[in-house]
Amino acid sequence: MKVLIDAEVFLYRAAAANEYEAEWGPDDWTYLCRHADAKAHFQEAIGDIRDIVPDHQPVLVFGDAFSFRYGIWPAYKANRKKYRRPAGYRELQKWAWHGASARDWDVARLPDIEGDDVLGVQCEEGDVIASIDKDLLTIPGLHLRDGEIIPVSRLKADRTFYIQALTGDSTDNYPGCPGMGPVTAGKALADCSTEAEMWRVVVAAYAKKGFDEAYAITQARCARILRAGEYDMEGQTPLLWSPPVS
């Protein structure tokens, strides 16, 4: 069994927690990240995870630089260009990747998909996903969050996914259905017990705002975190989500 660790999130937090402003000279300021401290911070986080699930092999999961979603929605994550990563963040990633085997960590990355997708694709029965990202709750199975193992049923994961398909995600820069927030979307889907029922609610909500099913599918594909069986391992390509058959 594996504990699939959202390495990018934990590395980012470690780097951000150990970044400082520094004045190199009069009126000359820059950012400084103490990588020795960031590395210790990251290793401590991995150690905490191993203490909670000692029988699971740690796998550091990374995403590819390219995401298939760029081809679905060209503006996907375009808003993130204005945000700065912690100083030396890429080098910290390389350190974790190349030093993993010496620390008894495995690593995983797949072409054309993000770290979230790799976590979903690699997750098998009995595995645990360790992340703070709410999007991962669209994956059924066991989740380690805030030091606690949380089981997520298939029905709950599906409902969370369809809520996301309705609300969109301003962080990832796809809009969803206008006027649909999490509370409204949750109420709309609350009485649904199958995916087919949920999808009908989603399509109806988009139609009410003047959008056709094809547009709804585009938004759902942006929201869909790939699950086991939704990636062609031989061809190294993601399999696009399709609406459930009634």
Side-chain angles (χ1 to χ4, degrees), residues 74-240:
Y76 182 74
K77 287 190 175 179
N79 57 332
R80 293 198 181 187
K81 295 177 182 178
K82 62 184 178 182
Y83 296 110
R84 181 186 63 81
R85 294 186 178 91
Y89 173 67
R90 290 298 186 196
E91 290 303 310
L92 201 61
Q93 280 191 317
K94 292 177 184 177
W95 163 81
W97 178 278
H98 294 297
S101 60
R103 298 175 177 84
D104 192 30
W105 307 333
D106 292 335
V107 294
R109 176 188 283 153
L110 293 168
D112 295 344
I113 61 175
E114 300 168 58
D116 288 358
D117 299 305
V118 182
L119 288 161
V121 166
Q122 296 281 348
C123 188
E124 301 174 310
E125 186 175 359
D127 291 344
V128 175
I129 292 176
S131 177
I132 61 169
D133 191 337
K134 65 177 178 59
D135 293 346
L136 268 303
L137 296 178
T138 63
I139 303 297
L142 301 175
H143 293 256
L144 175 56
R145 302 176 74 85
D146 298 323
E148 182 180 358
I149 300 292
I150 300 172
V152 175
S153 68
R154 175 66 180 264
L155 179 62
K156 185 174 182 179
D158 288 343
R159 183 173 287 115
T160 303
F161 160 61
Y162 286 105
I163 289 173
Q164 195 72 49
L166 280 172
T167 61
D169 192 327
S170 59
T171 302
D172 288 341
N173 207 42
Y174 64 94
C177 184
M180 272 288 182
V183 174
T184 305
K187 289 180 178 178
L189 294 162
D191 295 330
C192 298
S193 58
T194 68
E195 278 202 82
E197 291 174 357
M198 294 180 198
W199 181 241
R200 284 195 290 270
V201 169
V202 170
V203 172
Y206 275 99
K208 190 174 180 180
K209 296 295 182 177
F211 297 101
D212 61 14
E213 185 174 9
Y215 183 84
I217 291 173
T218 296
Q219 296 301 299
R221 285 176 173 170
C222 286
R224 182 70 168 189
I225 305 302
L226 302 184
R227 300 180 183 181
E230 296 181 0
Y231 188 87
D232 179 357
M233 292 295 184
E234 184 175 348
Q236 298 281 276
T237 55
L239 304 176
L240 295 181

Side-chain angles (χ1 to χ4, degrees), residues 41-61:
H41 186 130
F42 179 75
Q43 291 181 88
E44 182 179 351
I46 303 304
D48 290 342
I49 291 170
R50 298 191 80 162
D51 287 343
I52 296 170
V53 282
D55 297 329
H56 289 62
Q57 173 62 26
V59 181
L60 304 188
V61 173

Side-chain angles (χ1 to χ4, degrees), residues 62-82:
F62 297 85
D64 193 11
F66 179 81
S67 170
F68 71 96
R69 293 180 183 84
Y70 298 142
I72 295 171
W73 189 255
Y76 182 74
K77 287 190 175 179
N79 57 332
R80 293 198 181 187
K81 295 177 182 178
K82 62 184 178 182

